């Protein structure tokens, strides 16, 4: 981890979040949100670059991922993730110049947070998961259904038993291009899934995804926002070699993705990038993000 990156914690929305951070305390907030199976360390290449551009870049560990606490309300729906992003904006002193960057589940949180509270954000970036409306046909593909087996497995009582290091490492290898660094990243993931409660939390995101009975009314407004088009322009990036959500399914028609994003948005494929494209192609992804934020 770069010497420019520090650790900290903050209470936001009644939950204590651990985070990694870089950059001046008085810089505009750049909130970077990770997905599954991942950790805040996924942003280790981007945080120093954002800091160099003057941002106060903060990458929290998402709810339930140690050292962030497991929420007492057991909520892991998209609306709760969006509410967390808004609460972190408030707790970290963000203003209307803040930007938000989300990968995988962090992308879902980003869509929800920017649609629910557009005045808090200037621009957004999402990676690897397009807006919900652009994913409607994904599961009509047999090949994509095979890639998404874990989503359905996680609906069963077997989920907590199988979500061990070997399983996580298998996902990383399947979702990444040949030769990608896996072991170090999986080490970080397993630190976040250190207890049975953390493992259950990670699985909980997927159970809330397909089980309406797990949706809490407390986050109803944010939940609705997560499925509608927001106001702030979004840069959407997808790895050409993504083995989780295939570019052949998502980006076969970039115009269909753009149709689900706010006016002024962009959608690009990153050649050689897998699902964790910010780690597979850090220089290119960092450049695309920084150019987008500066424009």
């Amino acid at each position: 981890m770069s010497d420019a990156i520090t650790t900290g914690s903050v209470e936001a929305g009644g939950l204590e979040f651990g985070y990694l951070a870089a950059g001046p305390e008085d810089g505009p907030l750049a909130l970077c949100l990770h997905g599954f199976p991942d950790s805040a360390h996924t942003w280790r290449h981007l945080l120093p670059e954002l800091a160099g551009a003057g941002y106060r870049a903060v990458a929290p560990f998402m709810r339930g991922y140690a050292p962030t606490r497991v929420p007492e309300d057991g909520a892991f729906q998209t609306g709760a993730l969006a509410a967390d992003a808004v609460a972190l904006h408030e707790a970290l002193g963000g203003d209307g110049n803040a930007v938000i960057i989300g990968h995988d589940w962090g992308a879902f949180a980003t869509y929800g947070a920017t649609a629910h509270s557009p005045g808090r954000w200037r621009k957004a970036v999402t990676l690897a998961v397009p807006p919900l409306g652009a994913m409607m046909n994904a599961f009509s593909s047999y090949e994509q259904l095979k890639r998404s087996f874990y989503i359905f497995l996680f609906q069963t009582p077997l989920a907590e038993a199988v979500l061990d290091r070997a399983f996580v490492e298998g996902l990383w290898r399947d979702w990444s291009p040949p030769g990608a660094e896996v072991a170090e990243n999986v080490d970080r993931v397993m630190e976040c899934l250190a207890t049975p409660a953390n493992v259950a939390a990670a699985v909980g995101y997927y159970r809330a995804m397909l089980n309406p009975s797990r949706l809490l009314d407390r986050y109803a407004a944010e939940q609705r926002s997560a499925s509608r088009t927001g106001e702030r322009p979004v840069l959407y990036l997808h790895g050409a070699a993504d083995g989780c959500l295939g570019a052949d399914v998502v980006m076969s028609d970039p115009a269909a993705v753009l149709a689900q994003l706010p006016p002024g948005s962009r959608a690009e494929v990153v050649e050689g990038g897998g699902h964790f494209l910010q780690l597979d192609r850090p220089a290119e992804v960092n450049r695309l993000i920084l150019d987008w934020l500066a424009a």
Side-chain angles (χ1 to χ4, degrees), residues 200-261:
V203 170
Y205 284 55
Y206 292 94
R207 288 179 173 156
M209 182 183 189
L210 296 184
N211 187 345
S213 71
R214 291 179 175 266
L215 304 183
L216 274 62
D217 288 342
R218 173 183 177 185
Y219 305 107
E222 292 90 344
Q223 191 74 24
R224 289 191 296 270
S225 294
S227 61
R228 63 182 177 83
T229 302
E231 301 173 23
R232 294 293 177 258
V234 176
L235 169 65
Y236 178 66
L237 302 176
H238 200 100
D242 190 329
C244 173
L245 189 57
D248 58 325
V249 175
V250 176
M251 296 297 283
S252 60
D253 181 10
V257 175
L258 284 173
Q260 301 295 326
L261 293 171

Side-chain angles (χ1 to χ4, degrees), residues 8-9 16-19 61-62 64-70 191-192 198:
S9 64
E16 185 176 350
F17 288 84
Y19 64 76
F61 294 84
M62 300 290 274
Y65 284 74
T68 293
R69 299 190 57 153
V70 176
E191 290 170 2
C192 294
N198 298 128

